[in-house]
Amino acid sequence: MSRLYHPALYDRSAPVDSYWEASAPPLNRATPPLRDTATCEIAVVGAGYTGLTAALTLAERHGAGVAVLEAGTPGWGASGRNGGFCCLGGAKLGYAVMARRYGLEETRRFFAVQMEAIDLVRQTCAEHGIEADITGGGEVILAHRASRGGAALQAEREELRDLVGLDCPVLDSDALAARGLAGAGFHGGLELPPGVGLHPLKYLRGLARAALDAGVTVYGRSPVTALQRDGQDHILVTPSGRMRARKVIFATNGYTEDDILRPLAGQLMPALSSIMVTRPLSESEQRAQGWTSTVMCADSRRLLHYFRLLPDGRFLWGGRGGISGSPAAAARSEARLRRSFEHHYPAWRHVETEYFWRGLVCLTKPLVPFVGRLEGEGLYAALAYHGNGVSFTAWAGRAVAAQVAGVQGAEALPAVLRAPLPRFPLPFLRKTYLTGAYAVYGAQDALT
């Protein structure tokens, strides 16, 4: 099974009707399709954050000849669709379970990587003059039920402090209101100081320009339709050309197609995420609800919502869930998002939704990312950020580039990232597994 969802989710000719597309300057650089036969030292599949960061690093720091093959246009996938949360993230596995599985030292190494990744994004923007609308303030996790507040938040704070050394203040409802975070139905919050918000497509297009300036060739509208081996080289076949490369990096995340990229077949679980953005809220409208802060937020649901007030006064509200990519399912997802938005922000029920879009994030069976070598000589991958990879991709792209260039071995990575990815049992049932998980998570969210 190459694609788990409706073909509409994979139609690269369809524009992404997002607020980011409407508000980001165009790339204004040529990324033509691959024509005929070309050769490069290293081919990267996917022109998102990971692929462009890896290509830029290989060209700038290691002097490699790099070509990037992108099925759509740069940033068409998750890198141009996400909520702009540049914060701690990458894995869905809790730190306590992670420590039991990989050891406390390796868990702390993985946490240190996340902290470093946030700084790398800011550093990249500064070095390459990328204006990405960065806003500070960290992130606040809001308890969506009384049982998730109080003692539960305090326990989570102690776990973070004891396991990874992060001190996170617990905020009660009064403290949230004082911070300009007064939504209905929230029962306190946990403040995670690291992290910034940004405009994801401005950041992506800045990365693309930097990579092109460094000598990287980017081929847009060049989906890889077959991967072949010819001696020591790999041949990547596209609809109008063939690319010969000694080494290949896969940075396709939730849009990886099993039938084509066989080294990753059955190892990844794409999942849907959707976002709505309102019209700009006036200052009086913001005060009426008591929500005036641009800090990034998420709630404590398993099927979480993530949300923030954008710099121009619009409100972004996103959520997980959904098992069909059809246009009819998109309409249902939008209605469901709107209902949850109005539940938490009753003073904004009259505020129109101006944008709605969706896309695929990527999970693995162990619920951690993967960075490193795949089976097969010269094949590498960096992917699977569990719906929170804006910052982590900056680190992952550099790390996989260092491995491909031969200047860093796998042992330099935390064990959390380098373990071979297991296949899902009976991979053709992955959407069935996801359906069952959503049913369980939905019940847990409603009851506890």
Side-chain angles (χ1 to χ4, degrees), residues 26-266:
L27 179 58
N28 284 335
R29 302 291 293 275
T31 57
L34 174 65
R35 304 289 186 190
D36 301 320
T37 299
T39 302
C40 66
E41 183 181 353
I42 302 164
V44 178
V45 183
Y49 297 143
T50 303
L52 290 172
T53 299
L56 175 61
T57 303
L58 285 163
E60 274 192 336
R61 300 188 179 186
H62 306 295
V66 188
V68 179
L69 298 173
E70 166 57 42
T73 55
W76 183 90
S79 294
R81 298 171 186 252
N82 63 83
F85 283 53
C86 180
C87 56
L88 297 172
K92 197 68 175 174
L93 193 66
Y95 291 121
V97 178
M98 193 179 292
R100 291 195 295 270
R101 182 181 297 176
Y102 300 99
L104 182 58
E105 181 180 350
E106 294 298 328
T107 298
R108 288 174 174 170
R109 288 182 68 196
F110 175 66
F111 179 79
V113 161
Q114 295 176 65
M115 294 287 284
E116 182 182 350
I118 296 169
D119 289 336
L120 286 173
V121 172
R122 287 185 288 211
Q123 177 184 322
T124 298
C125 289
E127 287 180 354
H128 296 282
I130 301 173
E131 298 291 340
D133 299 347
I134 291 176
T135 59
E139 182 182 15
V140 176
I141 308 301
L142 297 167
H144 78 284
R145 294 182 67 86
S147 60
R148 298 286 182 91
L153 290 174
Q154 187 61 40
E156 188 172 351
R157 175 191 185 184
E158 292 173 1
E159 179 178 292
L160 286 168
R161 183 190 60 210
D162 294 345
L163 291 178
V164 297
L166 183 67
D167 190 14
C168 300
V170 173
L171 308 175
D172 61 18
S173 297
D174 290 340
L176 290 176
R179 300 282 187 96
L181 299 171
F186 293 130
H187 303 269
L190 188 68
E191 182 180 16
L192 281 63
V196 296
L198 53 72
H199 191 303
L201 198 55
K202 289 183 179 180
Y203 172 47
L204 182 285
R205 288 178 177 164
L207 278 177
R209 284 189 288 270
L212 290 163
D213 289 344
V216 174
T217 303
V218 179
Y219 295 100
R221 306 206 179 278
S222 299
V224 174
T225 58
L227 177 66
Q228 303 168 354
R229 191 67 187 262
D230 183 16
Q232 293 185 329
D233 292 342
H234 299 278
I235 308 297
L236 296 100
V237 182
T238 72
S240 58
R242 296 164 64 88
M243 176 64 68
R244 176 183 291 270
R246 182 58 54 90
K247 297 178 180 180
V248 181
I249 298 172
F250 299 120
T252 44
N253 209 42
Y255 293 88
T256 304
E257 298 190 30
D258 287 1
D259 292 351
I260 298 168
L261 302 185
R262 293 285 186 180
L264 289 165

